[in-house]
Structures are given as structure tokens and as C-alpha cells.
Amino acid sequence: MCLHSFPLIISSRARDVKNTLLFNSFHTQHTFSTAAAESTQESSVGRKFASYTLFKGKAALQAYPILPKFCTTSSGFSRMEKNGVVMLVFWPAIGTRKYDWEKKQYFALSPTEVGSLVSLGPSDSCEFFHNPSMKSSAEGQIKKSLTIAPANGQSGYFANLSVMNNLTKTNERLTVAITKAEFAVLRTACSYVLPHIMGWDQVIGQEKQTQPKPVVDRLHPEFEWSR
């Protein structure tokens, strides 16, 4: 059952989720790619943050978009340096309406993976595998897999995240039940942000700005009555 309308209890280990989300959103911006995961702390002045969060009995799930990164070439053109993603954040429940934010796990959906999610039918499932430490000395030490599978009776979906960390000798599994209505929100939101995380909206917007506006001859109002 979704717990959006219930107050969340603060504990010494698990902060109040609402306050924690605000703290995390405005103090730390995490940027991930499909090949490597990296986090950077940036200024929050003037930044806007919006997410869709589901609080369930065993775990919570948050989704939000991260726009692509552009760089300027020596010729003065801007090109996309890194694709945007739809970031999924899971964190476990440690009691009734209490969640452990310190054990959050990230999973960044690439544009193609977003396409797989939005194209799911009622009886379809999809599975993604990530190696966050790729191209580093810890390559293969951390493996993540995300499975989205239909629930019994086509009442919704289950999002199952598995994280195997050989460095810390841990194997975490988090499961969030998603109702049909909640999945409809995710599907619609992901469909909307897909061209944005690909950077296509900025290309189209740029084309519109460079196109000359048509000149319209505006007749004097009295011309209407002189005809």
C-alpha cells in the first residue's frame, strides 16, 4: 500500500523521508552514466528539483530526470558530452513508515532502457544489468540488476533491484510494488522526458530560435471600414 498521505517517523538511523529528500536534492546532485557512476556536489542556487516517489512497506522508490551535459567545441559549437538519464533511487524500509536513506541505491536508466520501460505491456517484463565501476580498477566488483516484472493478476508491476558488492561483501535486494496507476504515472513521465534526456529538445529549440520570423503586414484598423 502506498503511504503518501501518512506522516513518516524520524529515527536516529532513518531520517524523516520528506526532509531527507529535500536535503539530498538541494545539497548533492548525483550524475550517472550507463558505464560509470560518479557523484558531484554542486551549488543548489536557482536549481529546481522534482521527483516521483513511492513509499511502500519493504522499500521506497524515487524517480527523477537528469538532463544531458553539453560542452563547447573549439569551433564554437555545442555538442552533447553525456546523455541524460532517468535516475531511480531505492532505499530499504527499517520499520513502519521508516526508511534508511544511508543505504540508498542508484540505478540510472539510459534512453534505450527508458524506451524498454515505457513499451512494457501488462504481461511483459524487462531486465537491465549495470557495472558501475566499469573502466576502473574496481571493474566487476559491483554488479547491479534491475527487473521490472508484472504482478499476479496484472494488478501492476514489481521493481526488483539487486546489488552485489564484492568490495563490502554485501548482496542487497530491494523490491517495490507498483500499482497500475503508479506505473501509468511513471510511463507518462518517462515518455515526456525521453527527448529531453537525449538533448533533442535543445536542438529543436535552437532551430526554432534561428529561423527567421515571417513578416506580417498589419493593416490600419480603418482599412476594414474603407473597403
Side-chain angles (χ1 to χ4, degrees):
M1 180 179 66
C2 185
L3 302 176
H4 286 95
S5 59
F6 292 95
L8 297 166
I9 300 173
I10 303 174
S11 70
S12 58
R13 186 178 178 187
R15 300 174 183 169
D16 176 271
V17 169
K18 181 179 179 181
N19 292 336
T20 304
L21 294 181
L22 291 174
F23 177 85
N24 185 73
S25 304
F26 292 105
H27 287 72
T28 305
Q29 175 67 40
H30 296 270
T31 306
F32 284 72
S33 70
T34 57
E38 58 186 15
S39 62
T40 57
Q41 192 166 7
E42 301 174 356
S43 172
S44 61
V45 178
R47 298 183 65 85
K48 295 180 175 64
F49 182 86
S51 65
Y52 183 57
T53 309
L54 306 175
F55 302 112
K56 299 301 178 80
K58 295 183 178 180
L61 169 63
Q62 181 186 62
Y64 59 89
I66 295 179
L67 294 178
K69 182 179 179 181
F70 285 82
C71 65
T72 303
T73 64
S74 57
S75 57
F77 291 97
S78 291
R79 65 176 180 83
M80 190 169 64
E81 185 178 31
K82 182 184 293 186
N83 261 318
V85 299
V86 171
M87 183 62 69
L88 302 181
V89 188
F90 294 77
W91 65 100
I94 58 173
T96 304
R97 288 171 256 163
K98 291 190 295 184
Y99 299 87
D100 191 350
W101 183 258
E102 294 180 357
K103 289 190 174 182
K104 59 184 177 294
Q105 295 286 350
Y106 292 91
F107 199 95
L109 295 178
S110 69
T112 301
E113 291 169 334
V114 171
S116 296
L117 186 148
V118 301
S119 63
L120 283 178
S123 59
D124 295 335
S125 62
C126 59
E127 187 170 13
F128 312 118
F129 298 93
H130 284 191
N131 181 2
S133 302
M134 187 178 294
K135 298 181 180 180
S136 73
S137 58
E139 183 173 354
Q141 296 299 309
I142 302 175
K143 297 180 180 179
K144 297 183 178 182
S145 66
L146 174 66
T147 303
I148 301 177
N152 293 333
Q154 297 185 351
S155 58
Y157 294 85
F158 283 109
N160 302 293
L161 177 67
S162 176
V163 181
M164 186 181 68
N165 191 329
N166 292 330
L167 300 175
T168 59
K169 307 299 182 183
T170 57
N171 191 357
E172 298 186 49
R173 297 180 183 274
L174 300 171
T175 300
V176 175
I178 305 174
T179 66
K180 282 185 176 180
E182 292 163 347
F183 191 78
V185 173
L186 281 173
R187 187 202 303 272
T188 304
C190 285
S191 297
Y192 173 78
V193 303
L194 184 54
H196 295 267
I197 66 176
M198 297 172 62
W200 285 20
D201 63 311
Q202 298 192 42
V203 175
I204 295 173
Q206 175 183 264
E207 292 293 332
K208 288 183 178 179
Q209 291 177 1
T210 56
Q211 289 179 356
K213 295 182 179 180
V215 178
V216 179
D217 293 330
R218 298 186 180 278
L219 301 178
H220 192 278
E222 293 182 356
F223 179 80
E224 175 70 21
W225 304 105
S226 62
R227 290 167 55 181

